């Protein structure tokens, strides 16, 4: 029997890259938890205060593609803006897309603890409903 909390994430052993699972009672919560899992895989942001709020609109897509779009946007902004999301809010956009709000800090404000992700791997990507709500499994290329 799975005794996980209602919402969370965990790293999963993987030979070369980073793999995590995330879960929550609803789809949007699971997406937000996946962002947290991605960030937790390479930085420690304990005690860091967000410097600004920023947003992203994911275009309409099926659920796995929405997951990839949101995580790829985090990696893109990390690379181009040095922005690390410390808190994430996800809402449906009404047209099949998503509205994402991030509270972000600079990479200078957080402590690096792992390899920075370069991309989301599509191999063995999973995102959907399960017995306890929604869950996903993601491999990050580092």
């Amino acid at each position: 029997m799975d005794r996980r909390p209602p919402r969370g994430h965990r790293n999963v052993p993987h030979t070369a890259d980073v793999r995590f699972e995330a879960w929550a009672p609803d789809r949007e919560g699971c997406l937000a938890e996946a962002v947290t899992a991605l960030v937790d895989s390479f930085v420690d942001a304990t005690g860091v205060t967000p410097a600004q709020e920023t947003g992203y609109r994911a275009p309409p897509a099926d659920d796995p593609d929405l997951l990839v779009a949101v995580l790829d946007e985090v990696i893109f902004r990390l690379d181009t803006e040095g922005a690390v999301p410390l808190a994430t809010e996800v809402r449906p956009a009404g047209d099949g897309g998503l509205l994402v709000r991030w509270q972000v800090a600079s990479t200078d404000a957080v402590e690096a603890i792992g390899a920075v992700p370069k991309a989301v791997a599509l191999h063995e990507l999973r995102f959907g409903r399960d017995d306890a709500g929604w869950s996903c499994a993601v491999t990050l290329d580092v």
Side-chain angles (χ1 to χ4, degrees):
M1 174 140 191
D2 193 5
R3 298 212 149 279
R4 68 184 190 196
R7 181 177 175 144
H9 63 272
R10 63 181 168 219
N11 288 335
V12 178
H14 193 272
T15 53
D17 295 312
V18 172
R19 185 158 174 87
F20 66 81
E21 296 174 343
W23 60 89
D26 57 33
R27 180 182 76 148
E28 290 76 19
C30 187
L31 285 159
E33 197 63 40
V35 171
T36 301
L38 183 153
V39 171
D40 285 354
S41 76
F42 70 97
V43 299
D44 179 0
T46 304
V48 176
T49 302
Q52 68 182 46
E53 182 174 278
T54 187
Y56 169 65
R57 188 185 185 297
D62 64 11
D63 292 328
D65 288 340
L66 287 171
L67 172 65
V68 172
V70 170
L71 296 179
D72 276 345
E73 185 68 15
V74 170
I75 294 168
F76 173 76
R77 290 182 184 213
L78 172 68
D79 187 45
T80 61
E81 300 171 3
V84 177
L86 303 181
T88 303
E89 177 188 332
V90 181
R91 295 181 326 199
D95 64 354
L98 296 170
L99 301 172
V100 182
R101 299 298 303 166
W102 285 300
Q103 298 289 322
V104 299
S106 166
T107 52
D108 295 335
V110 298
E111 179 182 353
I113 60 167
V116 176
K118 301 297 180 201
V120 176
L122 300 180
H123 181 69
E124 296 184 350
L125 179 78
R126 179 180 50 78
F127 181 48
R129 293 182 188 271
D130 65 17
D131 293 340
W134 283 75
S135 65
C136 66
V138 176
T139 302
L140 301 171
D141 294 331
V142 293

